[in-house]
């Protein structure tokens, strides 16, 4: 394994990585708690959750394989250089595991809480099926070629694609409703902080190693940060600038007793 040249940069790398882990991990809870308190998932786009589960599952497979598998690490070094550091840290694996579990809980809440007229669109179902079908075909191809790093690049591509696509239905829903009611802004603030920390962690490693290989060697982690930051800024603009008058009324006794009162302007499918 490659070694660090600077102790301060190594410490900064670890601190930033676990800072991103904490922010991103906690970011799941405001929405889960909001759903629980309202006993309703109206305002939360179901396509976002379904694609998010595929995204985080793919990211977990990528991170865990590259972090734990010696065979995959050997192929990575053969491709990018024997002196290059593995671009996946322990916090990346820990985050992926936590993300899959919390997203699954959100999906369970959709199944048991009031959904109004919402349902998962056929488009998102089709995208998820195509993603996993592609992964399955590539897996069977890799069984004979043993190009495991190539297979992981497929999973990395899936998670990047899902990261780009998953935010769009929620952004469109907020636009159509002219409201962010039911969509936790706390989730976005934490997600934005995690994205900044994740990107800064990659910068620390590049500065120490005098190499940018960890950026294009783990393009999925880089795009995860940049895409998340872009959409987080969009959601913050929607919440604080475009629709500031639409204050959440989800915690009042009236809304808890009659959660369907917020469904009137909600589109059936986005």
């Amino acid at each position: 394994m490659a070694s660090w040249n600077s102790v301060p940069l190594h410490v900064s790398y670890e601190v930033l990585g676990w800072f991103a882990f904490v922010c991103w991990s906690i970011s799941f809870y405001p929405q889960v708690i909001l759903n629980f308190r309202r006993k309703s998932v109206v305002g939360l786009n179901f396509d976002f959750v379904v694609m998010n589960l595929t995204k985080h599952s793919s990211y977990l497979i990528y991170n865990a394989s590259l972090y734990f598998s010696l065979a995959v690490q050997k192929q990575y070094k053969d491709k990018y250089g024997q002196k290059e550091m593995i671009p996946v840290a322990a916090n990346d694996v820990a985050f992926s595991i936590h993300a899959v579990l919390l997203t699954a809980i959100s999906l369970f809440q959709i199944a048991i809480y009031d959904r109004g007229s919402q349902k998962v669109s056929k488009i998102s179902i089709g995208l998820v099926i195509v993603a996993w079908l592609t992964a399955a075909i590539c897996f069977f191809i890799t069984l004979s070629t043993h190009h495991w790093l190539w297979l992981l690049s497929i999973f990395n591509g899936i998670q990047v694609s899902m990261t780009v696509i998953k935010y769009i239905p929620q952004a469109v829903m907020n636009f159509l409703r002219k409201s962010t009611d039911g969509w936790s802004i706390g989730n976005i603030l934490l997600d934005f902080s995690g994205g900044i920390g994740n990107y800064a962690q990659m910068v620390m490693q590049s500065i120490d190693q005098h190499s940018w290989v960890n950026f294009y060697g783990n393009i999925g982690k880089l795009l995860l940060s940049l895409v998340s930051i872009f959409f987080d800024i969009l959601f913050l603009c929607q919440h604080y600038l475009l629709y500031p008058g639409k204050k959440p009324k989800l915690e009042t006794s009236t809304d808890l007793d009659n959660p369907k009162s917020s469904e009137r302007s909600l589109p059936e499918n986005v």
Side-chain angles (χ1 to χ4, degrees), residues 180-196:
T180 57
D181 191 24
W183 175 239
S184 174
I185 196 63
N187 168 25
I188 299 306
L189 292 170
L190 288 164
D191 189 56
F192 179 78
S193 300
I196 295 295

Side-chain angles (χ1 to χ4, degrees), residues 24-270:
W24 271 346
S25 296
I26 296 177
S27 72
F28 287 90
Y29 289 94
Q31 188 68 56
V32 170
I33 294 172
L34 182 62
N35 296 341
F36 174 76
R37 295 180 66 180
R38 298 168 64 213
K39 299 297 185 292
S40 170
V41 289
V42 173
L44 171 64
N45 190 275
F46 300 167
D47 292 352
F48 171 83
V49 179
V50 170
M51 289 187 285
N52 209 23
L53 184 60
T54 295
K55 177 258 181 181
H56 286 303
S57 298
S58 301
Y59 197 42
L60 173 59
I61 293 172
Y62 174 85
N63 284 333
S65 299
L66 192 53
Y67 187 78
F68 291 110
S69 173
L70 295 179
V72 174
Q73 291 177 6
K74 181 180 183 302
Q75 291 182 13
Y76 180 89
K77 288 181 176 295
D78 288 342
K79 181 176 181 179
Y80 294 107
Q82 296 300 319
K83 294 183 179 180
E84 294 297 333
M85 300 181 72
I86 299 300
V88 174
N91 64 274
D92 295 319
V93 179
F95 163 72
S96 297
I97 295 173
H98 182 270
V100 169
L101 292 175
L102 266 293
T103 306
I105 291 175
S106 294
L107 198 60
F108 178 71
Q109 289 181 318
I110 289 175
I112 64 174
Y113 290 152
D114 177 59
R115 299 184 295 274
S117 59
Q118 293 184 89
K119 59 183 179 181
V120 180
S121 71
K122 293 180 180 179
I123 293 177
S124 66
I125 293 175
L127 289 172
V128 168
I129 291 175
V130 169
W132 286 113
L133 184 60
T134 300
I137 293 174
C138 292
F139 172 75
F140 285 111
I141 293 175
T142 308
L143 284 179
S144 59
T145 62
H146 299 287
H147 293 161
W148 301 110
L149 188 63
W150 171 78
L151 176 62
L152 291 186
S153 71
I154 300 300
F155 280 106
N156 210 5
I158 291 174
Q159 78 91 6
V160 170
S161 300
M162 288 297 168
T163 299
V164 173
I165 297 172
K166 71 173 185 175
Y167 289 108
I168 296 176
Q170 185 68 56
V172 173
M173 174 181 280
N174 293 344
F175 170 75
L176 293 176
R177 300 172 71 221
K178 297 298 185 289
S179 172
T180 57
D181 191 24
W183 175 239
S184 174
I185 196 63
N187 168 25
I188 299 306
L189 292 170
L190 288 164
D191 189 56
F192 179 78
S193 300
I196 295 295
N198 192 55
Y199 183 78
Q201 183 191 34
M202 299 182 75
V203 171
M204 292 300 105
Q205 180 174 332
S206 293
I207 293 174
D208 180 84
Q209 298 294 300
H210 306 291
S211 170
W212 297 100
V213 169
N214 71 301
F215 276 92
Y216 58 80
N218 190 1
I219 192 68
K221 184 175 179 178
L222 172 63
L223 292 179
L224 170 63
S225 297
L226 298 181
V227 172
S228 297
I229 290 172
F230 171 80
F231 277 99
D232 289 339
I233 292 175
L234 173 62
F235 287 127
L236 290 171
C237 290
Q238 285 184 323
H239 185 80
Y240 291 111
L241 299 179
L242 298 178
Y243 319 124
K246 298 291 184 178
K247 299 299 181 182
K249 300 178 180 179
L250 305 174
E251 299 183 20
T252 63
S253 59
T254 302
D255 291 319
L256 288 174
D257 293 335
N258 186 23
K260 293 186 179 181
S261 61
S262 61
E263 298 173 20
R264 295 172 185 170
S265 60
L266 185 65
E268 178 176 338
N269 252 329
V270 177

Side-chain angles (χ1 to χ4, degrees), residues 1-18:
M1 297 292 288
S3 59
W4 286 85
N5 299 311
S6 168
V7 173
L9 286 175
H10 187 192
V11 172
S12 299
Y13 173 87
E14 295 293 342
V15 170
L16 287 168
W18 288 107

